[in-house]
Amino acid sequence: QSGALIRMKIELLGATRSFGSVPVLHQISLTVEPGQVVALLGANGSGKTTLFRCVSGILLLDQGELRCDGEVFRRDRIDLRRRMFFLPDFPAVFPEMTLIRHIEMVLQLYECDQPGIEEKVVELLREFDLLPLVDCSLGTVSRGQAYKAALAALLAVDPELWLLDEPFASGVDARGLSAFRRHCKEATNRGRTVIYSTQLIEVVDGFADQICVLNKGRLIHFSNIFNFQQALADPHSPLAEAFGS
């Protein structure tokens, strides 16, 4: 299926999550149409990572539901979970595992054994300047190199839904970030959906098709870049409080 035009619509309906008595997500409802780059924008503690963990099935919602192509998402739906890939800001890796073994493990988890997958991985490793490091343990490489290894695994899997937590604050070098942007745009042209989180407005303009803004666990804005910029310029909009304008 890799490379094929495959689409996945995501719907959150009243998504709510707390940790003990501390509410983190408040009644979030939104629909993400396929084939877009969506920025999940918000300050530290706004609920971005928790939202990703709920969408990917790592955490359960306390209330509300997630639908994938109209189907209610459950954690035991491995078929749906294999259609998405969550890449945290600090990739969850075994420090003693070599870079190439980590990628092999991810491909096995996603049952990616299609013809040409080895060549694809080698090309991605070359593109991200990782070929000399394939036998290094992940505990000995830099944070940016570990993130690029995880990103190469994601690109090899080519899921329908990409969930990337703070890719622009991952320590990846400029060349790697340029390749990341290009791959995202190519992926959306194939119907994939890319959702990435950030605290930085400057990595939204010119890249994201839609901007979803969280503030203190609440969805306060969801629109295209033009409407976002219009709202940002309005001192009476909810964005003024969120960004101190």
Side-chain angles (χ1 to χ4, degrees):
Q1 289 187 334
S2 182
L5 182 64
I6 304 174
R7 298 180 176 276
M8 186 178 188
K9 181 178 180 179
I10 298 297
E11 297 171 278
L12 281 169
L13 305 171
T16 300
R17 171 74 196 201
S18 298
F19 291 111
S21 61
V22 180
V24 181
L25 300 176
H26 305 262
Q27 294 287 321
I28 293 178
S29 295
L30 60 88
T31 299
V32 177
E33 298 291 342
Q36 299 185 87
V37 175
V38 179
L40 185 59
L41 181 63
N44 285 335
S46 60
K48 304 186 300 295
T49 299
T50 299
L51 185 60
F52 275 158
R53 289 175 175 168
C54 290
V55 171
S56 62
I58 295 172
L59 295 176
L60 290 173
L61 292 171
D62 294 331
Q63 298 176 31
E65 65 182 27
L66 166 68
R67 294 179 183 172
C68 303
D69 289 337
E71 293 187 75
V72 177
F73 176 84
R74 301 191 314 270
R75 294 174 77 180
D76 61 353
R77 286 291 303 274
I78 301 301
D79 59 324
L80 289 178
R81 295 182 73 174
R82 281 198 176 117
R83 295 173 65 186
M84 58 182 71
F85 194 120
F86 172 47
L87 179 52
D89 56 348
F90 285 91
V93 296
F94 301 100
E96 70 281 1
M97 185 176 287
T98 65
L99 187 151
I100 192 63
R101 178 62 190 129
H102 170 69
I103 295 176
E104 290 172 349
M105 179 186 69
V106 172
L107 294 179
Q108 288 170 357
L109 288 172
Y110 279 85
E111 297 185 342
C112 293
D113 56 358
Q114 66 268 28
I117 189 66
E118 293 88 354
E119 292 80 358
K120 182 177 182 179
V121 169
V122 169
E123 183 54 39
L124 288 167
L125 292 172
R126 180 178 294 112
E127 181 177 15
F128 287 112
D129 296 322
L130 294 175
L131 274 179
L133 304 176
V134 291
D135 293 321
C136 294
S137 62
L138 285 161
T140 65
V141 301
S142 72
R143 180 188 175 196
Q145 289 167 332
Y147 195 92
K148 286 196 291 186
L151 186 57
L154 182 156
L155 294 170
V157 170
D158 192 23
E160 294 161 60
L161 176 61
W162 304 14
L163 304 168
L164 303 112
D165 202 4
E166 299 283 358
F168 292 100
S170 60
V172 173
D173 53 41
R175 180 178 172 183
L177 288 177
S178 177
F180 164 70
R181 287 174 178 266
R182 177 174 53 79
H183 279 290
C184 286
K185 289 300 185 181
E186 290 174 355
T188 57
N189 289 339
R190 299 193 307 276
R192 273 61 173 167
T193 303
V194 177
I195 307 178
Y196 72 99
S197 67
T198 183
Q199 304 174 49
L200 308 172
I201 294 177
E202 53 265 35
V203 297
V204 170
D205 194 7
F207 181 51
D209 301 305
Q210 301 284 330
I211 297 88
C212 173
V213 184
L214 293 184
N215 187 35
K216 299 176 182 177
R218 299 182 185 276
L219 176 65
I220 63 169
H221 188 89
F222 186 39
S223 75
N224 59 32
I225 185 65
F226 175 78
N227 290 332
F228 170 75
Q229 290 173 335
Q230 294 284 97
L232 195 62
D234 180 0
H236 303 294
S237 83
L239 296 181
E241 176 193 353
F243 296 101
S245 57

